[in-house]
Amino acid sequence: MIVRPAPIGKGRLAIVAGWGQLPLYLAEAARDAGEDPVVIALADEADRSFEGFETLSAGVGDLAGIERFIREKGVGRVVMSGAVRRRPELHDIRPTFRTLLQVPAVIRTLVSGGDDAVLQMVIKLFEGMGCRVLGAHEIAPGLLARTGPLTTARPAADDLRDIEQAVEAALALGRLDVGQGAVSVGGRVVALEGAEGTDQMLERVAELRREGRISQRRRGVLVKLCKPQQDVRADLPAIGLSTVENAARAGLAGIAVEAGRSLVLEEQALVAAADRAGIFVCGIDTGLPKGGL
């Protein structure tokens, strides 16, 4: 029997799972809300156990296997979550007959496109399978950052200046479709997020601090923002416990994320860790004076 996909926007929810805690959080949140989600765990990327959920383990480029699973399970909605740290190689791509003609465009995007271009391509591929692509915030709206401090500590005047500098740098970086984060120390941008991700960027800042190339007296701030052109259905900026831990190791005073367009994972534990470390975490609105702080 041929199982056809559900009408777009209807049917079961699929969690496409990359690296990190977010995919499991979303799967559990969807189930708690009465959904019966399935999980597409990306091979060599997903690092959590999805025991208790119907799960397919598939390579990032396995379009044929993913579409077959979507059809068999009656999936009509998809949410992409978690980090994908490696782009598929040419030999990893397994197209369906229907997507065969799209392969050259897919390869060009993988080779030369920025992250946002790749995500737009993936969204179109899922839509071509008859699925509506949702954002993580539509499944778990409580994860979105709120404007204002989340922690006991609050940004001081020097920190507000660093936030302002890092916001400008993060926006410029985002327009280039490179990354979402920037670090400013003493009013000087000292690090921009690249393909390595936020945690590794913060490790670089810590190393620069140890080498004396960043002032020991001035602490600094990490800012994470959506790219100006970003589709909010995929890859919203996110912070978690590791972000707080690495910011503290880098000697930073705090973290600022874009309110309403960034995710705060495990907020209660994150705030407790930040309070112990004596650093602030806050949501900022770049359209308001001083970010709304």
Side-chain angles (χ1 to χ4, degrees), residues 61-267:
D62 187 5
L63 303 178
I66 291 171
E67 182 164 358
R68 185 166 54 249
F69 182 75
I70 281 174
R71 287 176 178 269
E72 289 173 353
K73 301 303 177 183
V75 170
R77 294 164 297 143
V78 170
V79 59
M80 299 186 294
S81 61
V84 176
R85 296 167 291 179
R86 184 185 69 86
R87 296 189 180 192
E89 302 291 342
L90 176 60
H91 59 77
D92 294 325
I93 299 174
R94 295 178 54 203
T96 63
F97 180 77
R98 183 183 53 76
T99 58
L100 193 59
L101 293 177
Q102 296 175 267
V103 169
V106 168
I107 292 171
R108 284 196 301 272
T109 303
L110 290 173
V111 170
S112 60
D115 289 345
D116 195 61
V118 170
L119 290 169
Q120 284 294 319
M121 175 193 70
V122 174
I123 287 172
K124 289 177 182 177
L125 288 171
F126 276 118
E127 288 176 340
M129 297 177 192
C131 295
R132 179 185 172 204
V133 179
L134 306 174
H137 60 290
E138 296 179 78
I139 306 301
L143 292 178
L144 286 172
R146 305 178 300 280
T147 304
L150 304 181
T151 49
T152 302
R154 301 173 67 93
D158 285 349
D159 302 324
L160 292 175
R161 285 192 289 273
D162 276 326
I163 289 173
E164 184 178 356
Q165 287 295 106
V167 163
E168 290 185 16
L171 288 174
L173 187 69
R175 291 187 190 99
L176 296 172
D177 195 9
V178 175
Q180 300 170 320
V183 175
S184 175
V185 177
R188 178 170 68 101
V189 175
V190 299
L192 300 172
E193 182 187 29
E196 81 279 21
T198 304
D199 286 344
Q200 284 69 36
M201 175 183 66
L202 292 173
E203 289 175 7
R204 284 195 286 115
V205 174
E207 180 63 25
L208 290 170
R209 184 96 66 179
R210 286 192 292 271
E211 293 174 354
R213 299 176 66 184
I214 295 177
S215 170
Q216 298 288 343
R217 296 182 296 104
R218 300 181 183 275
R219 298 185 66 187
V221 174
L222 163 68
V223 168
K224 294 196 71 172
L225 304 176
C226 256
K227 299 171 185 175
Q229 74 282 5
Q230 185 167 338
D231 189 322
V232 295
R233 291 176 293 175
D235 194 31
L236 284 180
I239 58 170
L241 278 172
S242 65
T243 320
V244 169
E245 292 165 355
N246 283 303
R249 291 191 191 103
L252 300 183
I255 301 166
V257 295
E258 187 171 1
R261 301 214 305 167
S262 297
L263 305 177
V264 180
L265 308 182
E266 301 177 276
E267 182 178 324

Side-chain angles (χ1 to χ4, degrees), residues 21-43:
Q21 179 69 22
L22 180 59
L24 181 58
Y25 187 101
L26 292 177
E28 292 172 341
R31 185 167 58 187
D32 290 344
E35 297 267 10
D36 181 22
V38 297
V39 176
I40 300 171
L42 299 177

